[in-house]
Amino acid sequence: MDQVSTPMESYISYMLAAAHRAVHQTLAARLKDQGMQVETWRILEALDSERQLTMGELARTVLMNPPTLTKMVDRMVSQGLVHRQIAASDQRKVNLLLTDLGRKRMTEIRELVRLQDREILAQFDPQQVEVLNRVLRDLSDTAG
C-alpha cells in the first residue's frame, strides 16, 4: 500500500512554526546589534507594562520555562537591568522590577520592535490585521 505524502505547508502547526521562526530571526538580528536577546526584550517589556510580576507570572507572560527564565533573570540582575524584591503580601514570592537602566534600555530597543511590527503589518490591509490578531489570540487562548 502506497502512502501519499502530505506537503508540510498543509499543516497549520508547521506554518505557525515557520512564521514564528521568520519573525523571531529578524527580530533577533535587530536586537543583537543592541546587545540584546529577544527573550530579554520580552522580559523588559513585560516588566515595563506591569507594576510587579512574580517569577511564575513572568514565565507565563514571556513564554519561557521557569528554569530558563531564572538563568536569564540572574544575568539581567548582574547587568543591572532588573532587581528582585520580596513580595510584601507573601514573603515566599519574589517580584521583579525594572531598574532605571532596564527602563532606559527598554526605551532604546522598543522602537526596533515597533519598526518590525510595522514592516510585518504593512504586508496586510487593516481588516486582515484585525482578523490575524483575533485568530492568533483565539488560538493562543485555546491551544495552551
Side-chain angles (χ1 to χ4, degrees):
M1 179 166 90
D2 291 330
Q3 281 191 327
V4 177
S5 81
T6 305
M8 292 288 288
E9 293 82 10
S10 69
Y11 295 103
I12 189 70
S13 296
Y14 175 80
M15 294 307 298
L16 286 168
H20 171 266
R21 180 183 172 116
V23 170
H24 190 274
Q25 285 179 330
T26 304
L27 185 56
R30 284 187 168 152
L31 295 180
K32 183 178 182 182
D33 291 341
Q34 300 295 315
M36 179 132 341
Q37 295 177 296
V38 173
E39 295 79 9
T40 305
W41 161 71
R42 283 187 197 148
I43 294 167
L44 292 174
E45 189 72 54
L47 293 175
D48 192 45
S49 63
E50 299 285 336
R51 299 286 304 161
Q52 296 177 347
L53 292 172
T54 65
M55 289 292 283
E57 292 164 339
L58 184 60
R60 284 186 297 281
T61 300
V62 299
L63 312 172
M64 294 177 73
N65 65 46
T68 303
L69 175 65
T70 298
K71 290 176 189 170
M72 185 155 282
V73 167
D74 287 345
R75 271 186 262 138
M76 293 173 72
V77 168
S78 69
Q79 294 168 343
L81 300 173
V82 298
H83 67 90
R84 291 180 172 99
Q85 181 182 66
I86 302 296
S89 61
D90 183 347
Q91 294 192 357
R92 296 170 294 174
K93 291 185 178 182
V94 174
N95 291 321
L96 290 173
L97 302 165
L98 281 180
T99 63
D100 289 340
L101 176 61
R103 191 163 280 105
K104 179 178 184 250
R105 292 288 289 141
M106 180 66 252
T107 302
E108 292 168 356
I109 63 167
R110 183 174 278 144
E111 190 52 37
L112 293 174
V113 179
R114 287 182 177 158
L115 173 63
Q116 175 155 328
D117 278 4
R118 286 191 300 270
E119 289 172 356
I120 292 168
L121 296 177
Q123 300 174 56
F124 305 98
D125 67 49
Q127 289 175 315
Q128 288 175 309
V129 170
E130 186 178 318
V131 169
L132 179 62
N133 279 325
R134 186 177 64 248
V135 167
L136 291 173
R137 192 173 22 260
D138 290 349
L139 182 61
S140 67
D141 287 347
T142 60

